[in-house]
Amino acid sequence: MKQYYISMLLALVPLLTFSQNTLTGKITDSESGEPLEQVSVYIPQLENGTVTDQDGNYSLNNLPEGSYKLVISYIGFETYSTSYEINAGSNQFDYKMVPSVIEMDEIVLSTPFHKLQRENVMKVEQKSMEELKQQGGITLSEGITNIPGVSSVSTGVGIGKPVIRGLSFNRVLVYTQGVRLENQQYGGEHGLGINDAGISSVEVIKGPASLLYGSDALGGVLYLNPEKFESAGETSGDVNMRYFTNTLGYNANAGFKTSGDKLKFLVRGAYASNADYETGDGTSVTNTRFNEADLKTGLAYQASTFKTELRYNYNTSELGIPEEIGVQNNDRDPLEPYQELSTHILSSKNNIFFKKSSLEATFGYTVNNRKEFEEHHHEEHEGEEHMEEEGEEGAALDMRLSTFNYNLQFNPQWGKMTTIFGIQGMHQKNENFGEEVLVPDAITNDFGVLATSHIHFDKSDLQIGLRYDLRSINGEESGIEGDEEYIPALSKDFNSFNAAVGYRMDLTQSIIGRLNFATGFRAPNLSELSSNGLHSGANRVEIGNPDLDSEQNFQIDLALEYGNKHIEAYVNTFYNIVNDYIYLEPTGEFRELDPIYDFQQQNAILYGGEFGFHLHPHPIDWLHLESSYDIVFGELEDNSNLPLIPANRWTNTFRVEWNKKNQDYKCYAFVTLQTYFDQNKVGDFETKTSRYNLFNVGVGGDMKIFNQKVGYSITGNNLFDKNYISHLSRLKADGIANIGRNISFNLNVPL
């Protein structure tokens, strides 16, 4: 028996020594030779990183053997990326950073190979949440509109959905916590449903991403990166507060996170409340008020060859649905009609690392409850008994969507080629509990298999991939046959092959070129196939078409980027052919007083791009002049225009920054002029939109209060109180203007 225990201990020795693999080193300034403090040293595949101490030293522990990407980044210096071989035992890597005024390059997480922006074959837009908040947006939906090529279909301020290069609704897939967000996003009056607290950055894939994500990524992907866990051995916390003058709104969140050598934990809670917004002429837009509460928490365990991460997000909100200009007050409780929403998102991400390969398994479970209350359901009564009866009556609409999804990826490495083999799928259940039924009870199942490879050459990269998908939708019968709101049973199957090829090349030392060809598909959703009812937020009856086919598209993207120490410039163009594009069209009939729309199909094309430059003349590196222009056109096969195509936009920003290299204290100021041009190419049932200009200013930075560093920013949007109507506003048909002048005050207090 004693010999048996000795043998067991000897067998464990290799495992114990394996877990002690470390990487240490020193980071210095290449010009002065001085050590650099707070430099980020990060291995993206392992999601393991640290920062240097005051002597420039760093240490990473519990590393698996194998070749991994090592990224070293620091504001004011050129981001460095290299492949590094982790061997058993101690490893040493020192680096001298090169000063640079070019913005710090970031790791792209929405594409599978976790490359830096400049190394990625696909062009992906990335913005930190801090950058977006500095622009003064009240919600996340409003904040992402500051990204070139991205807009939002809005219903007031609280309800907005992303538009990428003219495509929206189920054509844009949203990912959060590494899993797809399913929250009945088919409805125009259904917002994004995500709070910006606890999100570190936003990435946007423009164009078909069905190869990576399957159906519903035909138009692109909005990828929300959750905040990172704290570095090993560190504990931190912070409180953030924001106030908006236009809506008398406030938004507060607080977070805490702590990490040991292997176990990590974080939690963040947030609450927001806004009254009705005011237009440029001082009119309050009745029932645009909304309230929201949010909780995000996470737990992770990281050993040398295994890493697991569990995250949970609970979001609940009350959203008024505006219909007309009415009562003028600053109340915060929504009037009828309004929505009550609650969403639970549970995700589990697990990684196993081998010497020449890795395995990743991600699982997600989302439950979205959507209730809609209409006027005839909540008449005011006197007495407690009447209130109880009112509560028993319940919501007019009460829908619950439960979604389980999975994503399994095996990543072998063969020399300069990295390959991913994947299996993805989803099981979704839609249930109705209210008095009205818009879409029937139904089950949706997805299954997809994919293979994609990235091949690295000396001055170029090639990425290729192929995917096959199956989707089945089975809906139950609803109502009584012969009634106008009857929905027959549904059983439909869809399948599609998709492929993508991309090539990136260093054309010169200063110019990067990217060329991508990709196909995408989108199976019609449950609403398009079988809906039959009134959408209060849209003020119309929508009737589904069970004979719809899948949308299929082919897009060509060409991108050129130029950069030196004085200027950066880019040209991103695209041409997108969409077969069997699904759209709503009025029938000319009415149900009571509401127009009836049904779903039709026709081939379509979209084309356009984004163009811009960033001037930062050396040696006056504190001065920045940025300009971007985004343009998109959309046409149906019959030469009519696609609806909900954003107006062309030109954005010019003048920004100054101080102490940019000082991580402890910095400050900035900016002035932005946004020009939205006339939108005369409108759909058959849209009206034209006139040109308008919006003037925004902001200041911010860090200051010391009672020996405590505090971050602050003050931003004024639409400073001249312009009264305007956005082409993508769903209130445009009623002549209701967008938000007027809004000044936001932000405060960040580290704990």
Side-chain angles (χ1 to χ4, degrees):
M1 182 63 70
K2 182 177 179 181
Q3 184 177 3
Y4 171 78
Y5 283 122
I6 293 175
S7 299
M8 287 291 292
L9 288 172
L10 290 175
L12 287 173
V13 168
L15 295 177
L16 292 172
T17 57
F18 190 85
S19 66
Q20 299 304 312
N21 301 336
T22 62
L23 175 63
T24 59
K26 186 170 186 175
I27 309 300
T28 57
D29 187 327
S30 63
E31 293 185 352
S32 67
E34 295 294 321
L36 294 175
E37 185 181 1
Q38 294 297 307
V39 175
S40 171
V41 181
Y42 189 65
I43 302 177
Q45 295 102 313
L46 307 179
E47 295 184 11
N48 191 355
T50 187
V51 294
T52 56
D53 60 21
Q54 62 183 2
D55 297 318
N57 297 316
Y58 71 90
S59 177
L60 289 170
N61 304 315
N62 297 315
L63 301 177
E65 290 185 58
S67 179
Y68 298 97
K69 180 75 69 176
L70 179 65
V71 179
I72 300 173
S73 59
Y74 186 56
I75 293 176
F77 290 83
E78 182 179 314
T79 299
Y80 177 74
S81 171
T82 186
S83 292
Y84 187 82
E85 187 78 23
I86 302 293
N87 297 310
S90 299
N91 298 267
Q92 176 88 17
F93 185 80
D94 300 328
Y95 183 67
K96 297 178 180 180
M97 299 198 74
V98 179
S100 172
V101 296
I102 297 176
E103 300 295 322
M104 192 169 67
D105 212 357
E106 299 286 349
I107 296 290
V108 174
L109 299 179
S110 55
T111 54
F113 300 104
H114 292 183
K115 302 288 185 180
L116 289 176
Q117 285 265 38
R118 65 172 181 265
E119 300 170 336
N120 214 44
V121 172
M122 297 176 64
K123 174 62 177 176
V124 178
E125 295 283 352
Q126 185 184 68
K127 292 288 184 181
S128 70
M129 191 53 58
E130 181 182 2
E131 289 179 88
L132 296 181
K133 287 181 178 180
Q134 288 174 1
Q135 303 300 316
I138 295 178
T139 63
L140 177 60
S141 298
E142 186 180 353
I144 61 174
T145 62
N146 291 292
I147 300 173
V150 181
S151 306
S152 177
V153 176
S154 63
T155 308
V157 175
I159 301 175
K161 29 192 344 93
V163 180
I164 299 177
R165 289 177 167 176
L167 295 177
S168 56
F169 296 86
N170 276 88
R171 298 178 183 92
V172 173
L173 189 61
V174 178
Y175 254 62
T176 181
Q177 297 178 192
V179 299
R180 60 187 293 160
L181 175 64
E182 292 290 319
N183 62 350
Q184 307 179 66
Q185 60 268 30
Y186 58 82
E189 69 278 18
H190 300 174
L192 188 58
I194 291 289
N195 189 281
D196 58 21
I199 295 175
S200 63
S201 63
V202 175
E203 296 177 12
V204 179
I205 300 176
K206 302 173 185 176
S210 293
L211 172 70
L212 305 178
Y213 297 102
S215 179
D216 302 347
L218 176 142
V221 176
L222 179 66
Y223 197 95
L224 308 176
N225 292 313
E227 68 175 305
K228 296 178 181 178
F229 290 93
E230 189 56 274
S231 300
E234 300 290 332
T235 297
S236 65
D238 60 85
V239 176
N240 303 274
M241 294 166 284
R242 308 175 72 195
Y243 178 76
F244 307 99
T245 59
N246 187 288
T247 62
L248 304 179
Y250 55 86
N251 184 337
N253 73 79
F256 168 81
K257 49 187 176 181
T258 184
S259 294
D261 194 35
K262 295 183 178 181
L263 195 63
K264 306 180 180 185
F265 172 77
L266 62 78
V267 63
R268 184 170 299 276
Y271 183 78
S273 179
N274 290 265
D276 296 337
Y277 78 82
E278 287 189 0
T279 64
D281 63 6
T283 301
S284 290
V285 180
T286 309
N287 211 26
T288 54
R289 60 198 70 174
F290 63 97
N291 305 296
E292 181 182 26
D294 188 84
L295 173 69
K296 293 182 175 76
T297 188
L299 184 66
Y301 177 81
Q302 188 162 3
S304 58
T305 59
F306 174 71
K307 180 171 70 69
T308 183
E309 179 180 305
L310 183 68
R311 291 183 186 258
Y312 171 71
N313 179 203
Y314 172 68
N315 183 278
T316 180
S317 60
E318 290 183 331
L319 296 162
I321 301 177
E323 293 185 316
E324 60 184 5
I325 301 297
V327 60
Q328 303 283 292
N329 60 36
N330 295 323
D331 290 351
R332 297 173 184 272
D333 293 329
L335 305 171
E336 294 165 337
Y338 71 93
Q339 298 179 31
E340 284 185 0
L341 308 177
S342 65
T343 305
H344 303 263
I345 305 171
L346 182 65
S347 63
S348 172
K349 182 180 178 182
N350 309 276
N351 298 80
I352 301 176
F353 302 100
F354 308 102
K355 189 167 184 178
K356 294 293 183 180
S357 63
S358 63
L359 179 66
E360 178 174 298
T362 304
F363 305 96
Y365 183 66
T366 304
V367 178
N368 175 254
N369 291 280
R370 185 179 299 273
K371 296 181 180 180
E372 188 172 300
F373 297 89
E374 300 174 1
E375 292 183 14
H376 63 278
H377 287 271
H378 281 278
E379 301 292 342
E380 292 188 7
H381 299 285
E382 295 181 3
E384 186 176 345
E385 182 177 348
H386 289 125
M387 292 298 291
E388 292 175 357
E389 292 175 359
E390 183 181 311
E392 292 173 0
E393 189 177 6
L397 283 173
D398 188 348
M399 301 181 288
R400 180 183 300 161
L401 189 70
S402 304
T403 306
F404 170 75
N405 52 64
Y406 56 90
N407 185 358
L408 307 176
Q409 294 187 350
F410 178 62
N411 177 207
Q413 294 185 5
W414 301 309
K416 292 186 176 182
M417 183 171 72
T418 302
T419 301
I420 288 178
F421 299 100
I423 297 175
Q424 295 176 348
M426 177 181 77
H427 176 77
Q428 186 174 86
K429 183 177 183 180
N430 185 73
E431 299 174 280
N432 288 277
F433 302 96
E435 300 174 20
E436 300 176 8
V437 175
L438 289 184
V439 294
D441 293 356
I443 299 291
T444 301
N445 284 299
D446 278 3
F447 177 77
V449 292
L450 69 99
T452 180
S453 293
H454 183 282
I455 306 169
H456 177 68
F457 304 103
D458 288 340
K459 293 186 178 181
S460 63
D461 296 89
L462 175 68
Q463 187 172 320
I464 56 176
L466 183 68
R467 180 186 179 112
Y468 178 71
D469 281 278
L470 290 169
R471 168 171 284 192
S472 67
I473 303 178
N474 293 281
E476 298 180 9
E477 182 183 43
S478 176
I480 300 174
E481 189 171 0
D483 288 354
E484 63 179 3
E485 295 181 350
Y486 171 72
I487 301 175
L490 174 75
S491 180
K492 298 284 289 186
D493 295 302
F494 304 93
N495 64 84
S496 178
F497 276 102
N498 287 281
V501 178
Y503 185 67
R504 175 208 163 278
M505 183 177 182
D506 294 329
L507 299 175
T508 69
Q509 189 173 357
S510 302
I511 301 176
I512 296 174
R514 293 183 175 93
L515 180 63
N516 283 272
F517 302 88
T519 66
F521 95 106
R522 183 182 74 89
N525 61 45
L526 186 60
S527 178
E528 293 165 336
L529 291 168
S530 60
S531 65
N532 188 356
L534 172 65
H535 289 248
S536 294
N539 294 318
R540 67 187 177 208
V541 175
E542 297 181 6
I543 298 180
N545 180 353
D547 297 322
L548 294 174
D549 294 322
S550 292
E551 295 179 339
Q552 190 81 39
N553 78 325
F554 171 72
Q555 181 166 311
I556 303 173
D557 286 89
L558 175 63
L560 295 173
E561 299 174 28
Y562 172 82
N564 62 25
K565 65 180 181 179
H566 300 292
I567 190 171
E568 300 160 60
Y570 64 87
V571 176
N572 303 325
T573 61
F574 74 95
Y575 190 84
N576 189 5
I577 302 170
V578 185
N579 293 323
D580 295 316
Y581 182 91
I582 300 171
Y583 61 98
L584 274 168
E585 185 174 70
T587 64
E589 300 177 351
F590 291 81
R591 184 176 294 177
E592 296 180 354
L593 298 177
D594 300 300
I596 297 177
Y597 283 64
D598 61 8
F599 290 93
Q600 302 291 333
Q601 285 191 295
Q602 193 177 152
N603 294 340
I605 59 170
L606 297 99
Y607 55 95
E610 302 85 41
F611 318 90
F613 70 87
H614 176 191
L615 176 66
H616 39 73
H618 187 73
I620 49 175
D621 303 330
W622 49 267
L623 185 148
H624 301 261
L625 178 61
E626 301 173 52
S627 182
S628 67
Y629 187 85
D630 43 307
I631 180 173
V632 59
F633 299 101
E635 300 172 358
L636 289 168
E637 193 173 36
D638 63 6
N639 294 323
S640 63
N641 296 304
L642 282 177
L644 295 177
I645 297 297
N648 298 339
R649 177 177 58 177
W650 187 21
T651 303
N652 292 283
T653 298
F654 177 78
R655 188 174 83 248
V656 293
E657 298 175 345
W658 297 273
N659 301 327
K660 187 173 183 180
K661 293 182 182 180
N662 187 332
Q663 292 279 23
D664 293 324
Y665 292 92
K666 58 184 181 295
C667 56
Y668 68 88
F670 71 86
V671 176
T672 297
L673 177 64
Q674 288 183 315
T675 300
Y676 292 81
F677 293 91
D678 295 331
Q679 179 53 292
N680 296 321
K681 294 182 176 293
V682 298
D684 290 340
F685 310 102
E686 293 182 311
T687 57
K688 297 179 180 180
T689 304
S690 300
R691 166 178 172 159
Y692 57 91
N693 297 301
L694 300 179
F695 188 75
N696 309 323
V697 300
V699 296
D702 300 315
M703 58 183 176
K704 184 178 289 187
I705 300 178
F706 302 115
N707 290 323
Q708 171 68 56
K709 186 179 84 167
V710 175
Y712 72 93
S713 67
I714 303 172
T715 306
N717 289 339
N718 190 7
L719 200 63
F720 296 139
D721 217 11
K722 174 70 175 179
N723 200 56
Y724 72 97
I725 301 179
S726 165
H727 187 69
L728 297 187
S729 170
R730 294 179 59 83
L731 304 180
K732 181 174 183 284
D734 298 315
I736 299 176
N738 287 68
I739 189 170
R741 180 191 300 115
N742 182 45
I743 300 176
S744 64
F745 300 87
N746 308 321
L747 204 63
N748 168 257
V749 183
L751 301 177

